[in-house]
Amino acid sequence: MTLDELLTALGHADQALILPNGFNNPHSYRAWNDELAFEPTENITVADMAAEAWGAMDETFCGYMGGGRVTFTMTADTPCWLAVEGQGGGEPITMELLARLLAAGTSPTCSTARPAGTDQPVTGTSGA
């Protein structure tokens, strides 16, 4: 999946959705330095992941080639990976992977806390 495809897919998702497994921290992918990787993270919103991806667009990252540091600019056509910074062996971000991450997400909800001294959940009605 390219960065542009990732941004489009994230843009169509519920931005408030909280994902138990997602990604952040864009960086040059160690295995292919001219490609973009994001680090796995936990409990992140779709909006935060989209912001991380937007922040990587047209951004220049340092990588290594031939024993030296080289810079790479990530564009709309750059392939995206899920990998820890500085490590190869990640997995490509595909539509299927993103769909699994999104499917596991939960929406923030109102509290179901019980008023002190009762066994009844808060319902938002007056009870009259």
Side-chain angles (χ1 to χ4, degrees), residues 25-38 60-64 70-72 74 83-87:
N25 187 32
H27 56 277
S28 174
Y29 181 41
R30 181 71 173 137
W32 288 278
N33 291 281
D34 59 337
E35 296 186 3
L36 182 64
F38 296 89
T60 300
F61 294 90
C62 287
Y64 297 91
V70 182
T71 59
F72 300 93
M74 306 303 166
V84 175
E85 188 168 6
Q87 296 180 11

Side-chain angles (χ1 to χ4, degrees), residues 21-125:
N21 296 295
F23 54 79
N24 65 1
N25 187 32
H27 56 277
S28 174
Y29 181 41
R30 181 71 173 137
W32 288 278
N33 291 281
D34 59 337
E35 296 186 3
L36 182 64
F38 296 89
E39 287 203 41
T41 192
E42 297 176 346
N43 300 317
I44 188 167
T45 65
V46 170
D48 287 341
M49 287 183 5
E52 293 281 338
W54 274 111
M57 180 68 79
D58 298 322
E59 186 67 31
T60 300
F61 294 90
C62 287
Y64 297 91
M65 288 191 87
R69 292 179 66 108
V70 182
T71 59
F72 300 93
T73 300
M74 306 303 166
T75 66
D77 295 328
T78 300
C80 296
W81 294 80
L82 190 61
V84 175
E85 188 168 6
Q87 296 180 11
E91 67 178 300
I93 297 177
T94 63
M95 195 59 83
E96 294 79 18
L97 172 61
L98 187 57
R100 286 195 317 269
L101 295 176
L102 293 171
T106 57
S107 294
T109 58
C110 295
S111 173
T112 58
R114 300 170 192 267
T118 71
D119 290 329
Q120 300 299 316
V122 173
T123 63
T125 60

